[in-house]
Amino acid sequence: MDSVSLSEVTVMRKTHLGFMHSFRQPFSGVTISPKFCHSKGSRAISSSVSSTKSQYVYGESLAATADSDYKMNGLTLKNRISSVKERLLLDAFDDEYGGVVVDHGKLPSSPTVFTSMLQSSLSDWRRKGKKGVWLKLPVEQSELEGFEYHHAEKGYVMLTYWIPEEEPCMLPANASHQVGVGGFVLNQFKEVLVVQEKYCTSSNTGLWKLPTGFINESEEIFSGAVREVKEETGVDTDFLEVIAFRHAHNVAFEKSDLFFICMLKPLSDKIIIDNLEIKAAKWMPLVEFVEQPMIKGDKMFKRVIEICEARLKHRYCGLSPHRLVSAFDGRPSSLYYNVVDDDDDPSHSNCRAEFY
Amino acid sequence: MDSVSLSEVTVMRKTHLGFMHSFRQPFSGVTISPKFCHSKGSRAISSSVSSTKSQYVYGESLAATADSDYKMNGLTLKNRISSVKERLLLDAFDDEYGGVVVDHGKLPSSPTVFTSMLQSSLSDWRRKGKKGVWLKLPVEQSELEGFEYHHAEKGYVMLTYWIPEEEPCMLPANASHQVGVGGFVLNQFKEVLVVQEKYCTSSNTGLWKLPTGFINESEEIFSGAVREVKEETGVDTDFLEVIAFRHAHNVAFEKSDLFFICMLKPLSDKIIIDNLEIKAAKWMPLVEFVEQPMIKGDKMFKRVIEICEARLKHRYCGLSPHRLVSAFDGRPSSLYYNVVDDDDDPSHSNCRAEFY
């Protein structure tokens, strides 16, 4: 049975850590091996199914024999139960949110035992003040031989089966990206709005960074950036432009990440922090901000600051959103592009917008 | 039981239809209601579990009574089986890929009957030359009370449980976006590389469009655009810039969509089409391309063509990718930004790059 190391089960934070943090361990994703417990017997969708009275969602199928004794791997279930009852709790690792990741490589084979152990474990974790629980179930446990998981949302899981053996699967893939936003907010005193996060790796303790976060379901990049800044710092802003974006791979849950760096214009200055995610926030002189050792030594961050400074001097154009309706269905969506030189429409003059 | 209309179960294509198509029905996503069959009895993670001999992955749990008779909704299973055996095949709707979407609102309650019907249905669909099968299972069927599905990949499904009742769930969300690319490839004769897709709605029959597609897992936008053009048309290209991107919501599987419009420089002209997805491809005069009625009447497309033309005249700067390593972990990723006016590094002069 595969062992799972702590570093493999680290899961990403809810708050997007921005390009300053997002290569770090908290973004290494859940890479637990897919073995839970091995399926030995004949699974569903076979002619033997009708003669099997019961099948289980977890682990091996247990056939109820005439005398109601449960056979499994040559052992009777009651023996198995007595042996696993000695350890009543599921093996689990701490995650980054004060919760636990169940080690599916060490789960009991019997679904009944698993269910009972899960119940005890939940009580135990609750007593200990644990928060989220992650539980990974491999497709091998599914009764649906030949089906693959396609995607899942809170309320359902979608499975697919590709029939033609001679043709490559042409079904579309699952969603592949998470989208984060970072807000660069500068006031008239050349101070940038920065935060310190509650949950960060030890090497980043004390680092002041831009407010960042993930956009919500169906949220726009421009409104998501304004919302994240407001939530984390209490400061109201107007969206100006996407000035750059970063594309990174194998981030959380092995998915890719698009991170949009947004210029925002402050509309207020009073800071009220979000106590759940943020330890501190303040207006920090830009020169002081870039002098932080973690930032000074980072090529990518250096380039982004150069771009932001060029934008302040109107030597750079970012992309601004334009709500456009397509004739194809009459629905609006946002097209992000920068100014066209000979465009006389002042509403397109994003590059000319002043900050303060 | 909820009925499911054909329009609700349309699923998206593997090929990204670009901003010209992506508002259309094929992108309306799977919005089947999450009811499969109602869970009536006590589910797992309760003290009654240990006294229940068998539980099922599908539908109601069936308790094996002393006489091995199966009770369900007040009917015995044998009666239920004899009644459902009259219709051996599962109800299903055609999808857009020559496959079927199982109507989970009309599934039999018994997992045994379901399994048998699924087997017969798969044989029937195979005989009829059907391709992909979509099967949606709601979380209510899961034995894990209180757990939610978080995400799924081919090989596994991840579930989560949030313990604190007084705190909002702070676990990070699932991947939220799919990412598409479209290639604008213009040759020295002012001809644009266009395709006609095999699978399109009737209103788009005969429409010539830009080559588009989804980027693969962990693929770069710049290499994805070059690959899609090569696959669909056989033409080799060099990536120049992302000139704009579109953000749309509630697209496939109710996820959001980021579509990057890319300028590419042709390196070859011979066309060899991909027979699986493409009906035809050709070099088409740009003036003729924009005169197509479906495109001429579309504000968003009109704006994109204006941008492309401005870029050709060096009056517009798109964003070009720069591989940068962050000091935070030493890993490279791509930062997309446009040229800074007083930047003397010629490698940053994306806006000055010639097309031919």
Side-chain angles (χ1 to χ4, degrees), chain A residues 7 17 44 47 58 66 79 81 87 92 99 115 119 139 159 179 188 206 227 234 242 250 262 268 288 303 321 337 341:
Chain A
S7 67
L17 300 183
S47 56
Y58 310 112
N79 289 346
I81 285 176
R87 52 176 190 101
T115 299
Q119 191 189 6
V139 75
L159 297 100
V179 175
Q188 68 268 47
R227 177 189 52 73
V242 167
N250 300 310
C262 304
S268 68
E288 201 178 308
R303 174 51 70 174
Y337 58 90
D341 273 357

Side-chain angles (χ1 to χ4, degrees), chain B residues 315-331:
Chain B
R315 290 188 289 100
Y316 183 93
C317 276
L319 308 183
S320 56
H322 303 264
R323 295 294 280 177
L324 283 172
V325 175
S326 169
F328 285 83
D329 75 342
R331 279 209 296 169

Side-chain angles (χ1 to χ4, degrees), chain B residues 269-309:
Chain B
D269 57 7
K270 191 181 173 189
I271 287 171
I272 306 159
I273 64 166
D274 165 23
N275 283 315
L276 272 176
E277 292 181 22
I278 300 299
K279 197 163 65 180
K282 66 174 180 179
W283 291 99
M284 186 182 207
L286 184 59
V287 285
E288 199 178 308
F289 176 65
V290 296
E291 281 302 314
Q292 295 182 98
M294 283 293 281
I295 287 173
K296 208 177 175 180
D298 192 299
K299 274 187 189 167
M300 185 170 291
F301 199 82
K302 195 168 164 286
R303 173 51 69 174
V304 169
I305 293 296
E306 282 168 14
I307 295 169
C308 289
E309 287 180 331

Side-chain angles (χ1 to χ4, degrees), chain B residues 328-345:
Chain B
F328 285 83
D329 75 342
R331 279 209 296 169
S333 65
S334 300
L335 187 68
Y336 287 75
Y337 58 90
N338 76 32
V339 71
V340 178
D341 273 358
D342 61 354
D343 183 353
D344 292 331
D345 183 343

Side-chain angles (χ1 to χ4, degrees), chain A residues 263-274:
Chain A
M263 296 282 272
L264 305 170
K265 181 177 172 168
L267 299 176
S268 68
D269 57 7
K270 192 181 172 187
I271 286 171
I272 306 159
I273 64 166
D274 165 23

